[in-house]
Amino acid sequence: MMIECYTWPTDNGYKPCVILEETGLEYCIIPINIREKAQLLPRFTSISPGHKIPAIIDYAGPNGAIVTLCESGAILKYLAEKSGLFYSPDQLLRVRVDQWLFYGSATFTTLAQQFGHWTLRSPVRVPVAQQYYESIIRDMLGILDRHLARNEYLAGSYSIADVSIYSDVHLHGVRDIGLSEYPHLKRWHDSIEARPAVQRAWSAFPAEIIHAFKPTQIAPDVKNTRI
C-alpha cells in the first residue's frame, strides 16, 4: 500500500516528499491546510500528537505493522532505513549523518521558522527580534558554508542530512538573505535543486490544491494504529 504523507508546503512539509521521491517509495499526499487549522482536528492529532506537519502512515511497516510517525527528522530516518538509501549502513558514517540531521531538524529549521515569523509573517514589527533572528540565520548559513568548503555534502555523500536542511536554505537562504556571501553553500544548494527527485517533490503541490483544500478532506480517523 502507498505511504500516506500528511503535509503542507512549508520548510518541514517538503522534507518527506523529497525523501519519498528520492527513494521511489510509493506515496500519496494528503494536504493538511495549516492556514485553516486543519492540523488541530482530532483525526490529524491521532497521527501527530503535537499537531505539527508532516506526518506519515506506513501500512507496510516492520513485521507488517502499521506505523504512524510525526517529526520530520524521525520521518526522514525511518524512510531512509526502510528503503536502504541515503543513510549509510556503516555506523561511523551514520554518526556524521545524525549530527547534521539533528542540526537541521532541531536547530536550523526551528530558528529559521522564527526568522520567518518575525521578518515576514508577524503583523507587529519588532525591530529587535528581526535583527536578532537575521543575525542568527546569517550565522547558521556561515556555519554551513564553512563546512561545505571542505565537504561536497554535509555528511560526505548526499543523505537525509542534506534533505533536513535544504528546504530552509532554499526558502530563507535563497529568497530572504541571498547566497552570494556563501559560495560553498550556494554550490551545495544548486546541486540539490537540480536533482530530479527534488524538483518533483517541490512541484507536488499545485496551486489549485493549496487554495481549494478544506480541513474536512482529511482522511478517516486512524486512531489506535500507532506503534
Side-chain angles (χ1 to χ4, degrees), residues 165-186:
I165 291 178
Y166 170 79
S167 58
D168 287 293
V169 172
H170 185 70
L171 289 173
H172 297 301
V174 173
R175 181 187 64 186
D176 301 327
I177 300 295
L179 298 182
S180 60
E181 298 177 28
Y182 312 99
H184 308 293
L185 181 58
K186 185 178 187 306

Side-chain angles (χ1 to χ4, degrees), residues 5-6 12 15-17 19-20 53-56 68-81 160:
C5 180
Y6 296 74
N12 266 330
K15 295 177 186 181
C17 300
I19 198 63
L20 284 162
I53 57 102
I56 64 168
T68 69
L69 192 62
C70 58
E71 294 294 330
S72 63
I75 292 170
L76 292 179
K77 188 171 181 290
Y78 173 79
L79 294 174
E81 290 179 324
I160 53 175

Side-chain angles (χ1 to χ4, degrees), residues 30 60 111 146 152:
I30 300 177
L111 292 171
R146 290 188 293 275
E152 183 178 7

Side-chain angles (χ1 to χ4, degrees), residues 6-143:
Y6 296 74
T7 191
W8 193 249
T10 69
D11 45 8
N12 266 330
Y14 279 113
K15 295 177 186 181
C17 300
V18 170
I19 198 63
L20 284 162
E21 288 288 349
E22 290 280 18
T23 58
L25 293 169
E26 288 192 80
Y27 76 103
C28 62
I29 288 177
I30 300 177
I32 299 298
N33 192 335
I34 60 176
R35 297 173 183 169
E36 297 186 5
K37 307 298 183 184
Q39 74 274 21
L40 301 179
L41 294 179
R43 284 174 293 173
F44 180 67
T45 58
S46 68
I47 308 168
S48 178
H51 54 75
K52 296 195 303 180
I53 57 102
I56 64 168
I57 301 179
D58 181 9
Y59 293 95
N63 301 316
I66 297 174
V67 175
T68 69
L69 192 62
C70 58
E71 294 294 330
S72 63
I75 292 170
L76 292 179
K77 188 171 181 290
Y78 173 79
L79 294 174
E81 290 179 324
K82 179 182 177 72
S83 66
L85 299 170
F86 308 110
Y87 192 46
S88 174
D90 184 279
Q91 188 173 5
L92 290 177
L93 294 178
R94 283 193 174 194
V95 169
R96 297 180 62 193
V97 173
D98 286 345
Q99 171 182 262
W100 290 103
L101 170 65
F102 297 147
Y103 179 78
S105 300
T107 300
F108 199 96
T109 292
T110 300
L111 292 171
Q113 288 175 341
Q114 291 298 309
F115 166 81
H117 172 78
W118 290 109
T119 61
L120 301 173
R121 297 185 297 275
S122 175
V124 179
R125 313 313 291 171
V126 184
V128 172
Q130 291 174 279
Q131 293 168 10
Y132 174 74
Y133 282 106
E134 181 169 339
S135 70
I136 289 292
I137 198 166
R138 287 183 180 277
D139 178 59
M140 293 192 298
L141 295 174
I143 289 169

